[in-house]
Amino acid sequence: MTLEPKKRAEILKAIKKLVLANHINVAGIDYAAWLERLDGRTPELLAADLDGFEGGVRQLLAELKTSHTVFYHSLPKELLPQHTINASLKDVVQNGCHKWMFLDVFDEGPAYASGIKPGDILEAVDAKDCAPPTTPYFAIGQTHTLLVRKPNSDVHKEVVITVPMRKGTKQRPPIVEPKSPIHSTVGHGVGLLRIPYFPGAFGMAFANALDRAVHDLKQRGCDRMIIDLRGNIGGSLGFARLASHMCPDRVPIGHSLTPRRLRSGYDPQALPRVPMPSTRAELLATLARFAFRDKSVMLLTQGLGPQPFHNRIVILVNEWTNSAAEMVANFAAENRLATIVGQKTRGNVLGAANFRVGSGYWLRLPVFGWFTSKGQSLEGNGVDPDVPLEICPEGLAQGADNQLNKAIEIASGR
């Protein structure tokens, strides 16, 4: 693929316009200085090879200091493992060397289907050695050969993984969506909800699936609940349904802000208070209500009534818990609805949209800021666990999940 200087100039012009019109500036960067740097680098970007052009644009976007800021082609070559093979990686030290260890392996994803297990060590991708801090990336619709081994073992094996073809949407780039939710019992009266993703534009299908899972666990006699958000890549409004299952009444989860409202100032208590729609009719009515007005709102839970597991909830998080999952974890922490176990979350908490910028390229920008019900921004900060606990790599490789075991212990003792 080639990209003529004229087309590149059009892409850069579109990026500048979209950033000024839509970017939520939670980091308080100086747009005038940023535009000056972009203009100063434009001749270099127009003359660079294609990789240099794409890399240069990404470097400039990184200066906006916000998550959910991505420049990519319609068939991106570089996507994170959790967005492609449905697995996350952790930097671990073995024999004095840094290695990538598979941490979260999502059920029924490409990595899971290939036989990869949490705790396995990744040595190479497509015959190229990979080790921290260089992140291995994967391509949509492509087949990759991975060289993996068990910890403290010299026996290697090749694993072939095919990343399914996916198309992007206005809401998100092309990603392989993990199966979500998944539920099971993990002890007497203890239910487990694994939620690696909140799918759907508005989360209504996910909400229905979550309701069925919760009902099934209650039918099995579960009056305690573990919610596993480790590795969760974020997603849609479905997170509000999960928050609604955690308390009986309608209470604030947090509030979203548009760039215009953030610039002009606001009173959180004066924002419209909106519960997540429960039906398609409610959704259409809510969309109509905000069709021609500022979309900054205080999001409420739905008031689903008492549940047998209320005040008996444990939430698992780790360094790959992202976005909407962080909103849920923070909501639980602020309202003392659950004990949070694991490691501090990612701190990537903004609402984003995708924009076409020409020649098959897209720009993903954060267009909403998210603030907690107490007015705090989670962007760049994340959520701290009540019970900090590192995963044990050696135990994980043997099938023992010490974080989950701690959650079971806490849930069982309540």
Side-chain angles (χ1 to χ4, degrees):
M1 174 181 167
T2 59
L3 191 63
E4 298 175 357
K6 179 180 178 181
K7 296 294 185 181
R8 298 183 186 198
E10 291 172 355
I11 290 171
L12 294 175
K13 181 179 179 180
I15 288 174
K16 289 194 289 187
K17 182 178 179 180
L18 288 166
V19 167
L20 292 178
N22 298 284
H23 179 254
I24 184 80
N25 191 10
V26 294
I29 66 111
D30 183 342
Y31 281 139
W34 182 79
L35 289 172
E36 184 177 343
R37 289 192 295 274
L38 191 156
D39 289 338
R41 290 199 60 186
T42 293
E44 171 192 340
L45 295 175
L46 297 182
D49 60 22
L50 189 60
D51 287 341
F53 171 73
E54 293 177 351
V57 171
R58 293 185 182 116
Q59 288 175 2
L60 285 163
L61 291 172
E63 295 178 12
L64 297 174
K65 298 180 179 179
T66 46
S67 62
H68 297 75
T69 307
V70 186
F71 176 65
Y72 65 97
H73 197 261
S74 55
L75 291 178
K77 301 184 291 294
E78 297 184 347
L79 287 174
L80 289 171
Q82 52 265 50
H83 295 160
T84 46
I85 64 172
N86 287 172
S88 66
L89 299 171
K90 183 177 182 66
D91 181 349
V92 298
V93 177
Q94 289 205 326
N95 299 322
C97 299
H98 287 267
K99 297 290 184 180
W100 285 122
M101 180 192 78
F102 283 96
L103 180 61
D104 307 295
V105 179
F106 304 145
D107 286 12
E108 300 186 22
Y112 177 94
S114 74
I116 287 175
K117 304 290 185 185
D120 286 351
I121 301 297
L122 175 63
E123 292 284 2
V125 177
D126 296 331
K128 294 182 180 179
D129 291 346
C130 64
T134 303
T135 302
Y137 292 104
F138 300 88
I140 291 291
Q142 299 296 310
T143 296
H144 298 277
T145 301
L146 282 58
L147 188 66
V148 301
R149 64 175 174 84
K150 296 296 181 184
N152 302 316
S153 170
D154 294 327
V155 179
H156 295 75
K157 67 174 181 178
E158 287 192 346
V159 175
V160 177
I161 298 180
T162 298
V163 181
M165 180 64 72
R166 295 289 186 268
K167 291 184 178 180
T169 67
K170 176 66 175 176
Q171 288 75 34
R172 60 188 58 85
I175 63 171
V176 179
E177 297 184 356
K179 180 181 178 180
S180 184
I182 300 165
H183 69 285
S184 61
T185 56
V186 289
H188 180 69
V190 181
L192 174 64
L193 284 169
R194 293 189 185 273
I195 304 178
Y197 184 52
F198 296 99
F202 297 101
M204 300 192 74
F206 168 81
N208 292 333
L210 178 64
D211 291 350
R212 291 191 295 270
V214 170
H215 176 75
D216 184 54
L217 290 174
K218 289 193 296 183
Q219 290 293 105
R220 299 188 200 182
C222 294
D223 59 359
R224 299 151 200 271
M225 194 72 69
I226 297 172
I227 301 171
D228 190 350
L229 299 177
R230 292 176 297 176
N232 186 294
I233 62 176
S236 69
L237 193 58
F239 81 91
R241 188 64 168 186
L242 178 60
S244 298
H245 275 291
M246 298 171 65
C247 63
D249 305 314
R250 281 191 175 182
V251 297
I253 302 173
H255 56 278
S256 64
L257 290 181
T258 62
R260 180 171 58 182
R261 183 61 66 91
L262 181 62
R263 287 193 298 266
S264 63
Y266 71 104
D267 175 5
Q269 301 307 315
L271 293 175
R273 300 167 72 85
V274 180
M276 175 190 171
S278 296
T279 65
R280 181 171 178 79
E282 288 181 9
L283 172 63
L284 293 174
T286 301
L287 292 175
R289 178 183 173 190
F290 290 94
F292 301 104
R293 59 184 292 185
D294 188 273
K295 295 175 176 57
S296 302
V297 299
M298 181 70 75
L299 183 64
L300 307 179
T301 55
Q302 296 169 308
L304 301 179
Q307 298 284 355
F309 50 81
H310 282 169
N311 300 313
R312 297 176 172 182
I313 302 173
V314 181
I315 295 177
L316 285 167
V317 296
N318 66 9
E319 63 268 39
W320 286 113
T321 300
N322 277 272
S323 194
E326 297 182 81
M327 299 176 190
V328 174
N330 175 80
F331 167 72
E334 279 195 342
N335 293 279
R336 302 181 67 84
L337 300 173
T339 300
I340 301 175
V341 175
Q343 293 177 266
K344 187 173 184 176
T345 65
R346 198 76 182 164
N348 292 344
V349 191
L350 297 172
N354 299 331
F355 303 91
R356 296 180 187 272
V357 292
S359 301
Y361 283 93
W362 291 74
L363 175 65
R364 182 166 176 79
L365 278 179
V367 296
F368 283 98
W370 177 263
F371 296 80
T372 72
S373 61
K374 295 183 179 179
Q376 303 298 313
S377 173
L378 298 177
E379 176 72 8
N381 296 314
V383 179
D384 290 305
D386 300 306
V387 182
L389 185 63
E390 284 264 5
I391 196 73
C392 176
E394 294 78 14
L396 197 62
Q398 300 299 320
D401 184 337
N402 64 308
Q403 291 176 336
L404 176 58
N405 290 339
K406 185 64 175 180
I408 295 171
E409 175 189 327
I410 293 171
S412 300
R414 283 172 172 256

